Amino acid sequence: MRVLWIFIMLSFLFKIFCGPPKPTELPKPNIEKNKRNFSEILKDLDSKDWNTRSLALAEITNGRYVEGVKEVRKFLKDPHPVVRGSAALALGEFQDKVSLPNIIQLLNDKDVPKDVIVDALRRMKEPSSAIALVPLLDSENASLRLVVVDALFELNNRSIGKDILKLAERNQDPEKDKTYAMILGKLEVKESEDYLLNLVQKEKNTPTLAAVFLALGKIKSKKAIPLLAQAIGEEFEKGRENASIALREMKDPTSLPYLYPHLRSLNKEIRYTTAEIISEIPSSNTIKVILEILNGTKKEFYGASCFVAGRLKLQTLRTRIEEILLDKSVPEREVIAQSLGWLGDSRSIDTLVKVLDEKDGEGKYGAAWALGFLEPTQVFLPLKKASQSKDFRLASIAIESIGHLKLEESIEVLEEAIDRDKNLAIFGLSSLGNIPGAKARKTLLMYAKSKEPEIYRPAIEVLGRRKEQESIKPLIAILKENNADKNRIIVSALNSITGKKFTTTTEWLNWNEQN
C-alpha cells in the first residue's frame, strides 16, 4: 500500500506542477492547451477505477475548478484510501473549511497515511485544526513527527503550546525530545524554559542539544544565556552554530561578559563566531575590551576584534586599526582592512590604497573591498590597476568595488575585464548594474545578446534588478530569438521590471502584441 501511495502522489504532483512542456510559440487567443473542461473531468469522477478518480481530483486542483468542491467532498468517504487522501489534499488546497471536520476524522483512518492528512490540514491553513495534530508529536514515526512540526508552525496556533508542553514533560523516549524542542521553540512557548534547560543537562553534543539551543533563543530565555555562551567556546560545531543563532536573536547585553573571553580563543572559528554575535549587540563596555586586545601582544587575536570594531563603528579605534593593518606580520589582514571599510572614515583611504598596492599577502583583498565600500571616487585609478591584475581574486574584488563608485568612465574598464576573461563576467556585469544611466544599460543589453551563457545570464539578471522600463522592449526582442535558456531568465527579468507574474515566453509575447 505504501508503494502504491508513493506512485499516486508522484502522479498527483506531476499533474499539478509539471504536465506537458509549455509552448514557446504564440497560441491562438483564449485556447488553453492540455486542459480539459470541468464537465469532462466530472465523468472521470464517476469511473469505477480508483486511479482514474484520484487523477481526476488532481486535475480539479490543478485547474483551480472551485466549482468542483462540492463534488470533491463526497470522495472523503470513497471506498479506496488513495482517493480519500487525494480528496483531502484537494480540499485542503481549496481551503474548504466546511470539509475540515471530515478531514480531521481521516486521521483515524488506518488506510490513509497520516502524513497525507497532515499535509491537507497544513494547506487548509485553519489554526483551530492544530489541536488535532498535537498527539501525532508522540508518533513512533520520526518522519511523521517532522511533518507535524512543520504543519503546526505554519498553522501558528500559539494556544496549543501548553498542551504540547504537557506531552513533552510526560515523554520518556529520548528520540522524541528533539521533536518537542523544535516545536516548543517554533511556537515560542515561554513556559517551556525549565523543560528545555533540563534537556541541556541531559544531552551532550547531540542534534537534540543543538535543537534545544535554537528553542531557548526563540523563547528568549535569560536563564540560558550562560549555557549558550559556554557552547560558543566548545568544539561541538552544530551546537556552537545554533547557540550563536540564539544569542544573535536574543541580542541581550547581559550575554556580553560571558562572550568577551572567547575573543581570545586559540580557535579561529570560535573567535569569529563570537565576534559576529558581539557586533550585533551594541554596548559601551565593548570598546574597552577591544582596545585592550588591540593593544596587546597576541596578534592572532587582532582580526576578530577589528571585525567587531568595524561592525560596531568604534571610530576611536580607527588609527590603531590602521597601524595594525600596516604591520605585515599580523595575520588576518584581509578582515582588518575590511573593518576600515565598515568604519566608513575617508581618512583611512591613504592607508588602504597603500595596502592595495602590496605585491603579496592577503591585506590587498580587504583593501580592495573596503575602498569600494567607502565609495571614494578618487580611488578609481588604483582600483582600475587592481582590476587588471593577474591575481584573479584581486581583480574580481576590484571590479566589484569599481561599480560602487558609480562612475560612467568605469564602464570601459569593466568591458575590458569582461572581454579579457569570461570568468570575470559575473563580477563585471554585476558592477555595471550599479552604474546609473543609459550607457550602462545599453552595455548590459549588448551583453544580454551574447551567445555565451556565462555572459548573457548575469547580464539579463542585472537588467532585471535595475527595473528600468527602457529595458522591456529590447528584452522582448531577444525573446523572439527563441533561446530556451535565455528566455527563462528574460521572463524572470521582465517580471521583476514590471511586477507581473508571467511564467512563459508565450505570455510575454502575447502581452507585447496587446500593448
Side-chain angles (χ1 to χ4, degrees), residues 446-457:
M446 175 188 72
Y447 285 118
K449 296 175 184 177
S450 169
K451 303 293 184 184
E452 299 176 272
E454 302 95 327
I455 304 293
Y456 69 68
R457 285 175 182 165

Side-chain angles (χ1 to χ4, degrees), residues 140-202:
E140 298 304 316
N141 185 327
S143 297
L144 175 61
R145 294 200 302 269
L146 289 176
V147 170
V148 173
V149 167
D150 288 340
L152 288 174
F153 176 62
E154 288 193 42
L155 292 172
N156 195 31
N157 183 344
R158 303 299 175 94
S159 68
I160 63 172
K162 292 182 179 179
D163 296 289
I164 295 173
L165 180 57
K166 288 178 182 177
L167 205 58
E169 289 172 337
R170 291 198 300 267
N171 173 53
Q172 298 297 316
D173 185 349
E175 294 296 320
K176 298 175 185 176
D177 286 338
K178 180 181 176 183
T179 302
Y180 288 115
M182 289 171 64
I183 190 58
L184 289 168
K186 285 177 177 287
L187 294 181
E188 299 178 13
V189 182
K190 295 186 181 300
E191 296 88 347
S192 67
E193 183 178 41
D194 289 340
Y195 165 77
L196 293 170
L197 289 171
N198 184 51
L199 285 182
V200 174
Q201 303 304 322
K202 287 169 53 180

Side-chain angles (χ1 to χ4, degrees), residues 11 16 128 144 159 210 228 263 289 312 346 360 393 492 500:
S11 300
I16 293 179
S128 65
L144 175 61
S159 68
L228 293 171
L263 289 173
V289 174
L312 288 176
S346 60
D360 51 22
R393 184 159 182 248
S492 177
K500 297 187 181 298

Side-chain angles (χ1 to χ4, degrees), residues 100-353:
L100 182 60
N102 291 330
I103 293 176
I104 290 174
Q105 282 185 354
L106 287 177
L107 288 170
N108 299 317
D109 189 325
K110 295 180 180 179
D111 296 319
V112 181
K114 286 183 171 52
D115 55 356
V116 173
I117 304 307
V118 172
D119 190 29
L121 293 173
R122 179 188 63 79
R123 297 173 188 229
M124 185 76 75
K125 300 187 186 305
E126 172 50 55
S128 65
S129 68
I131 191 65
L133 299 180
V134 171
L136 297 180
L137 292 169
D138 199 42
S139 168
E140 298 304 316
N141 185 327
S143 297
L144 175 61
R145 294 200 302 269
L146 289 176
V147 170
V148 173
V149 167
D150 288 340
L152 288 174
F153 176 62
E154 288 193 42
L155 292 172
N156 195 31
N157 183 344
R158 303 299 175 94
S159 68
I160 63 172
K162 292 182 179 179
D163 296 289
I164 295 173
L165 180 57
K166 288 178 182 177
L167 205 58
E169 289 172 337
R170 291 198 300 267
N171 173 53
Q172 298 297 316
D173 185 349
E175 294 296 320
K176 298 175 185 176
D177 286 338
K178 180 181 176 183
T179 302
Y180 288 115
M182 289 171 64
I183 190 58
L184 289 168
K186 285 177 177 287
L187 294 181
E188 299 178 13
V189 182
K190 295 186 181 300
E191 296 88 347
S192 67
E193 183 178 41
D194 289 340
Y195 165 77
L196 293 170
L197 289 171
N198 184 51
L199 285 182
V200 174
Q201 303 304 322
K202 287 169 53 180
E203 301 288 334
K204 185 170 178 62
N205 298 355
T206 64
T208 296
L209 180 62
V212 171
F213 286 160
L214 281 181
L216 287 166
K218 287 288 185 184
I219 68 170
K220 294 182 168 47
S221 168
K222 284 186 173 292
K223 292 181 184 178
I225 286 175
L227 295 171
L228 293 171
Q230 180 181 332
I232 299 299
E234 295 180 349
E235 296 301 320
F236 178 36
E237 291 186 12
K238 188 60 180 176
R240 184 193 310 140
E241 177 187 334
N242 285 7
S244 171
I245 293 170
L247 289 167
R248 291 165 70 179
E249 188 165 9
M250 292 167 70
K251 289 183 171 52
D252 193 321
T254 63
S255 67
L256 293 174
Y258 299 101
L259 292 168
Y260 290 143
H262 295 324
L263 289 173
R264 291 183 168 87
S265 171
L266 297 178
N267 183 316
K268 180 179 177 180
E269 187 173 336
I270 291 175
R271 292 198 302 273
Y272 277 94
T273 299
T274 303
E276 288 176 355
I277 303 168
I278 293 174
S279 66
E280 294 185 20
I281 309 174
S283 170
S284 58
N285 295 326
T286 298
I287 190 167
K288 180 182 176 181
V289 174
I290 299 301
L291 182 59
E292 185 178 330
I293 293 174
L294 296 185
N295 285 335
T297 58
K298 299 289 187 181
K299 296 181 179 180
E300 64 268 33
F301 300 154
Y302 290 170
S305 293
C306 286
F307 178 95
V308 173
R311 297 304 292 267
L312 288 176
K313 297 190 180 302
L314 305 179
Q315 297 290 355
T316 56
L317 300 181
R318 176 185 60 81
T319 55
R320 177 56 185 150
I321 294 174
E322 289 179 11
E323 290 172 3
I324 291 171
L325 179 59
L326 292 173
D327 181 353
K328 293 185 179 181
S329 69
V330 173
E332 302 168 22
R333 292 175 71 228
E334 180 175 358
V335 175
I336 296 168
Q338 288 176 339
S339 72
L340 291 174
W342 286 317
L343 282 176
D345 195 318
S346 60
R347 287 175 291 181
S348 296
I349 291 173
D350 290 343
T351 298
L352 289 168
V353 169

